[in-house]
Amino acid sequence: MKPLLRIENLSVYAGDRPLLENLSLSLCRGERLTILGETGAGKSILIQAIMGLLPPSLRASGSIQIDGRDLATLSRRELECLWGRRLAMLPQEPWHALDPLMRAGRQVAEVYACVLRQDAERAAANARRDLAGVGLEQAGDKLPGQLSGGMAQRLAFCAATAGGAQIVLADEPTKGLDADRRDHIAELLRRKGEEGCVLTISHDLEVARRIGGRVLVMRGGRPLEEGPAEQVLNAPTTDYSCRLIQAAPGHWPRIERRADGEPGPAVLEARGLAKRHGGKRLFQGLDLRVGRGEILGLVGDSGCGKSSLGDILLGLLAPDAGQVARAPGIARHRYLKLYQDPPAAFAADIPLGRLFADLLRLHRLDASRLPPLLERLRLHPTLLERPAHEVSGGELQRLAIARALLLEPVFLFADEPVSRLDPITAREVVQLLTSVATEHRCALLLVSHDPELVERVCKRTLRLG
Amino acid sequence: MIHLFLKRLGQAAFVCWSVGTLGFALMRLLPGDMAFRIAAGRYGYDQVNLAAAEAVRAELGLDRPAWRLYLEWLFDLLRLDLGDSLVSGLPVLGEILHLLGHTLLLAGAAMLIAILIAVPVGLFAAFRAEGWFDRAALVASAFLRAQPVFVIGLLLLLIFALELRLFPVAGFDGARYLVLPAIALALSMAAVSNRVVRHSAGAVIASAFFAFARVKGLSFAQAFVRHGLRNGALPVLAFLGIQLAGAIEGIVMIESLFSWPGLGHGLAHAVFNRDVPMIQGAAMTLGLIFVGLNLAVDLACHLVDPRGRSDE
């Protein structure tokens, strides 16, 4: 059978530095391939290269063929004609990829109308059918801002594939989704892979397992190991694959859950908190006491109010009822938050080094504390020369952690801090975060969609919803 | 929505009170005898003498304490009575309504021309960002913006009225008189707004949702019309609300320069004649135009952006 997508010896360089080296793969109809690997391993670059969307500063060699046609021989116009019709790309950040002012149904219907030239009625009917197919029949009239992350990703899936593309490329499509929603997206991709072919990039092993097909492990831009999903995931042959698979939260060592551990003096006490959002009750009559150095987990489905609760505790959001008391005599800036979306937490166009320098100056901190902190978070100091948008999401989240730790917080609300990191880095970051929090006697409220992760590192878990 | 209207209504009331009070105080702080200046305004500097000044003082009660005059004015304002012009003796309200029509005509024409210049120039510069057109538009905008608006007006006058004799120099007697003042005002407004359009459109083109629309299979034009225009219009509309303050200032200068029989011209005349009720009335009306236009901008934002609507 002729492959739909065939890549031979693809290499991508930034100057002389290779981001991706000698990658070859081919996908025929009905095939699914999931690429696993650490953040910054050139995985996202691969999808950009296939779409013809590589930034001009990068140089590529090798060949990419779609339906047997080499992309290098196509004009820009011919390449763009493949988008939506032959090639579909699932965005990494569905919220950002959807038009914030257009209702959900129309974002799908417009593909039928503009790309497939159907009349408005038929396009709308097809869009309704697609949305119903992914469980979004109620959401057609909603704006993207009113959708949860999982709903936004399903909407993006419908919009991306409505043009009839057979080759689906998905770049970390389940990032930040809780287990149920993640499995739902994986199932959509698996089904799509039966009629066309699907290339997924992920660092979630469960996604790879559910999509099935083949798995390719990459490290440092180089392919390391390839084989059927079950085989690679259950019996990896390379040392790195072993570590990658061992790094899934399910394999982490359990911490001792001591009921008798004496809690430190309270840094934060909340009584009778209640919050409603969009006509839905998130929580009511919630009491919470956080002691110094305590590591507390917070789990629940997406949209259940985890982030709202953290924001209320920090005083960023007002509760509908109840009150929050912070320990007296501690500066407000030592109650901090690690954001879910690191690019949104940094000014985009200013070199990170200057942001850090400003912070050090503002709080009159000792600049020599920064380098060891960066080293512990596996961050190269040269990253500080770049602005936030030129740094990968994983690195940026580690920088955000470094930035928070500089201020010696007494309470840190970490909102899904590792949902964007590959398992090895995630494990390292969570372990570092929890150990530093314990060392500095900083209380940590760790929010995660992954109950397993929370269970492994937190002594106490709060479940919402 | 109702909240928005009430907020703007409150602003309008505040503008009336503060502008009127400020005008009242400033005119009293100016050096020189007020009665004498008003008399001079009525009879001309050659005719005026001490007796005429005393007559004016007695007629208008200017020898009474200032706070009484102020309270009287405030009370009249509550009854929507702006008083009579000290110079012509006619009710200020009637004079202002007459001038207002001309000002709105000029402002409307100028805004229309500004939009016709700024939107195409801004969009074309955004589509070819950093190209020669973009750079030329930047230089031209900086040059135009660096001039006070009356310099642009003077240049237009010199070239098109005095040298080429294409348009009349000043006054108002038909559509030909509108062309130069409207273009002068429009150029000054478009100088900044075309850059705002360019940046706003550039940001939309660089956005993730625009890229995703392209990847869905939409052409550049389809993606821009369907996703770029609405999203790009929001910052432009927000900027328009800010720019209006500058436009009002420009109207005063341009009307004076072209002897355009509008509010700004009337205001300048009233200032020279110490015609306090007229100054207060004209300044107040300009302030109300500003509030009204801002309300229009709010409504436009509300129409474009479905997110903030309270009914959802």
Side-chain angles (χ1 to χ4, degrees):
Chain A
M1 191 159 40
K2 256 176 89 175
L4 295 174
L5 172 68
R6 185 189 185 91
I7 294 173
E8 277 168 17
N9 291 321
L10 181 70
S11 299
V12 178
Y13 299 90
D16 290 332
R17 194 165 62 94
L19 300 175
L20 190 68
E21 272 182 290
N22 281 330
L23 181 74
S24 300
L25 58 87
S26 77
L27 280 172
C28 296
R29 187 173 300 278
E31 283 193 310
R32 304 174 296 274
L33 174 68
T34 307
I35 301 182
L36 293 171
E38 62 185 351
T39 329
K43 294 177 305 192
S44 301
I45 293 287
L46 170 64
I47 286 196
Q48 289 174 2
I50 298 171
M51 294 300 288
L53 288 171
L54 275 184
S57 58
L58 302 184
R59 191 166 47 84
S61 68
S63 85
I64 300 173
Q65 289 165 26
I66 293 190
D67 303 324
R69 287 200 297 169
D70 193 328
L71 286 191
T73 63
L74 298 182
S75 70
R76 183 79 201 164
R77 205 183 176 80
E78 288 170 311
L79 176 71
E80 288 179 4
C81 274
L82 295 174
W83 292 349
R85 297 164 182 88
R86 294 299 301 159
L87 277 172
M89 183 172 87
L90 235 58
Q92 212 177 39
E93 312 270 354
W95 266 318
H96 295 178
L98 295 166
D99 182 343
L101 302 183
M102 191 182 268
R103 298 189 189 279
R106 289 193 57 201
Q107 306 214 23
V108 180
E110 70 172 3
V111 181
Y112 286 107
C114 296
V115 179
L116 303 181
R117 305 197 181 284
Q118 297 177 354
D119 59 63
E121 221 166 283
R122 235 181 103 205
N126 280 329
R128 270 197 302 278
R129 186 204 58 209
D130 287 359
L131 289 180
V134 297
L136 287 179
E137 49 276 85
Q138 308 295 329
D141 284 331
K142 290 206 166 129
L143 293 166
Q146 298 166 317
L147 302 178
S148 72
M151 290 162 87
Q153 187 58 285
R154 278 179 277 160
L155 173 60
F157 178 86
C158 290
T161 54
Q166 297 292 303
I167 306 167
V168 175
L169 312 170
D171 189 359
E172 308 209 12
T174 61
K175 202 156 73 172
L177 302 184
D178 57 47
D180 286 350
R181 272 104 184 145
R182 176 195 66 191
D183 296 347
H184 196 149
I185 297 288
E187 173 62 20
L188 286 177
L189 289 171
R190 191 189 62 75
R191 266 190 292 171
K192 190 75 198 166
E194 282 167 3
E195 39 188 281
C197 68
V198 170
L199 174 65
T200 311
I201 284 171
S202 184
H203 44 236
D204 191 325
L205 303 172
E206 192 55 31
V207 170
R209 199 184 303 277
R210 285 187 180 263
I211 294 177
R214 283 178 293 147
V215 164
L216 170 67
V217 179
M218 272 174 72
R219 188 185 193 193
R222 276 190 222 104
L224 217 57
E225 180 175 357
E226 191 187 348
E230 283 308 309
Q231 183 194 318
V232 175
L233 294 174
N234 293 330
T237 56
T238 63
D239 177 45
Y240 178 74
S241 309
C242 286
R243 280 203 292 140
L244 193 67
I245 285 151
Q246 282 304 309
H251 296 286
W252 294 9
R254 262 168 218 282
I255 60 142
E256 285 177 64
R257 289 195 161 225
R258 283 176 311 175
D260 58 348
E262 63 177 86
V267 288
L268 201 73
E269 237 169 318
R271 308 190 79 88
L273 290 184
K275 185 75 189 169
R276 301 179 69 83
H277 181 71
K280 186 182 142 208
R281 199 184 74 205
L282 297 176
F283 42 82
Q284 199 170 27
L286 191 139
D287 296 323
L288 182 66
R289 180 188 182 281
V290 185
R292 267 211 98 148
E294 188 180 9
I295 293 172
L296 182 65
L298 180 57
V299 293
D301 281 345
S302 65
C304 74
K306 300 190 294 276
S307 302
S308 303
L309 176 60
D311 286 347
I312 288 172
L313 293 178
L314 288 172
L316 297 172
L317 195 70
D320 295 341
Q323 54 230 321
V324 177
R326 278 182 283 273
I330 298 176
R332 274 296 290 274
H333 71 253
R334 293 177 67 195
Y335 290 85
L336 286 177
K337 174 171 178 176
L338 273 181
Y339 283 85
Q340 191 169 9
D341 183 25
F346 284 91
D349 298 317
I350 298 171
L352 292 160
R354 202 191 305 161
L355 296 178
F356 274 91
D358 286 347
L359 187 74
L360 292 169
R361 206 167 47 222
L362 177 68
H363 293 284
R364 302 204 177 82
L365 299 173
D366 181 5
S368 66
R369 283 180 38 219
L370 184 57
L373 206 52
L374 293 181
E375 203 180 308
R376 286 189 74 175
L377 287 161
R378 284 213 309 167
L379 290 162
H380 201 269
T382 52
L383 283 175
L384 294 180
E385 293 160 19
R386 299 193 221 161
H389 65 84
E390 287 177 18
V391 173
S392 77
E395 287 165 331
L396 208 54
Q397 188 60 294
R398 282 180 278 158
L399 284 161
I401 294 172
R403 181 171 66 173
L405 292 178
L406 268 182
L407 292 175
E408 300 191 310
V410 293
F411 174 77
L412 193 55
F413 166 47
D415 193 354
E416 300 271 12
V418 295
S419 63
R420 277 139 215 274
L421 306 187
D422 64 86
I424 295 177
T425 322
R427 179 177 178 171
E428 197 182 321
V429 167
V430 167
Q431 279 169 349
L432 183 72
L433 190 61
T434 49
S435 65
V436 172
T438 314
E439 278 164 31
H440 290 249
R441 305 205 64 216
C442 163
L444 182 68
L445 179 63
L446 183 65
V447 172
S448 180
H449 59 273
D450 189 344
E452 224 158 10
L453 185 153
V454 166
E455 198 180 301
R456 304 279 160 160
V457 297
C458 300
K459 293 193 175 149
R460 193 149 68 96
T461 307
L462 186 69
R463 180 174 288 279
L464 280 186
Chain B
M1 206 56 225
I2 294 192
H3 179 75
L4 185 76
F5 272 107
L6 287 178
K7 197 175 108 189
R8 291 289 177 216
L9 203 66
Q11 279 180 358
F14 179 75
V15 162
C16 288
W17 170 77
S18 60
V19 168
T21 302
L22 212 62
F24 188 88
L26 283 176
M27 288 318 289
R28 248 139 245 280
L29 290 174
L30 284 179
D33 179 51
M34 199 157 158
F36 189 84
R37 292 293 300 268
I38 293 168
R42 282 190 190 171
Y43 310 119
Y45 274 96
D46 301 340
Q47 309 291 321
V48 73
N49 55 27
L50 207 57
E54 286 308 322
V56 166
R57 196 187 311 278
E59 176 198 335
L60 300 175
L62 290 177
D63 44 359
R64 285 177 297 156
W67 63 267
R68 277 196 58 184
L69 293 173
Y70 175 69
L71 283 183
E72 275 174 26
W73 167 80
L74 204 60
F75 186 65
D76 284 343
L77 179 66
L78 287 178
R79 294 185 301 146
L80 298 179
D81 179 1
L82 294 176
D84 298 335
S85 163
L86 298 185
V87 175
S88 67
L90 296 169
V92 168
L93 197 61
E95 299 228 356
I96 282 178
L97 287 179
H98 173 73
L99 299 174
L100 180 63
H102 289 100
T103 292
L104 290 182
L105 176 66
L106 175 60
M111 275 186 116
L112 187 69
I113 300 173
I115 290 170
L116 290 179
I117 299 173
V119 173
V121 169
L123 288 184
F124 195 75
F127 295 153
R128 304 266 185 280
E130 303 300 319
W132 66 267
F133 185 85
D134 187 23
R135 284 162 206 276
L138 175 64
V139 171
S141 301
F143 176 78
L144 282 174
R145 189 55 206 165
Q147 317 298 321
V149 59
F150 61 83
V151 173
I152 302 174
L154 271 177
L155 277 176
L156 292 179
L157 263 184
L158 281 174
I159 298 170
F160 295 102
L162 296 176
E163 279 298 317
L164 301 174
R165 294 182 184 279
L166 289 173
F167 296 102
V169 174
F172 178 71
D173 188 21
R176 285 176 61 235
Y177 288 79
L178 181 60
V179 177
L180 288 185
I183 288 181
L185 204 53
L187 280 178
S188 149
M189 288 200 262
V192 185
S193 41
N194 86 78
R195 300 313 293 174
V196 177
V197 170
R198 178 238 183 267
H199 279 284
S200 176
V204 165
I205 291 171
S207 72
F209 63 79
F210 191 82
F212 185 58
R214 294 299 318 277
V215 164
K216 286 198 293 191
L218 269 60
S219 70
F220 184 90
Q222 282 171 331
F224 192 78
V225 168
R226 303 185 63 87
H227 300 284
L229 288 181
R230 251 148 67 109
N231 284 289
L234 283 177
V236 176
L237 282 173
F239 168 76
L240 215 58
I242 299 165
Q243 197 191 27
L244 290 171
I248 301 260
E249 173 196 320
I251 282 179
V252 175
M253 289 205 232
I254 286 294
E255 286 188 351
S256 302
L257 180 67
F258 287 90
S259 299
W260 183 262
L263 275 174
H265 188 53
L267 179 65
H269 262 276
V271 169
F272 291 128
N273 292 331
R274 299 280 167 101
D275 190 349
V276 179
M278 191 64 198
I279 293 170
Q280 288 170 322
M284 229 184 270
T285 314
L286 288 174
L288 287 179
I289 294 179
F290 179 64
V291 174
L293 288 174
N294 265 305
L295 179 63
V297 167
D298 287 342
L299 289 177
C301 281
H302 181 80
L303 284 179
V304 172
D305 187 352
R307 282 172 300 188
R309 290 182 199 162
S310 50
D311 54 335
E312 311 213 4

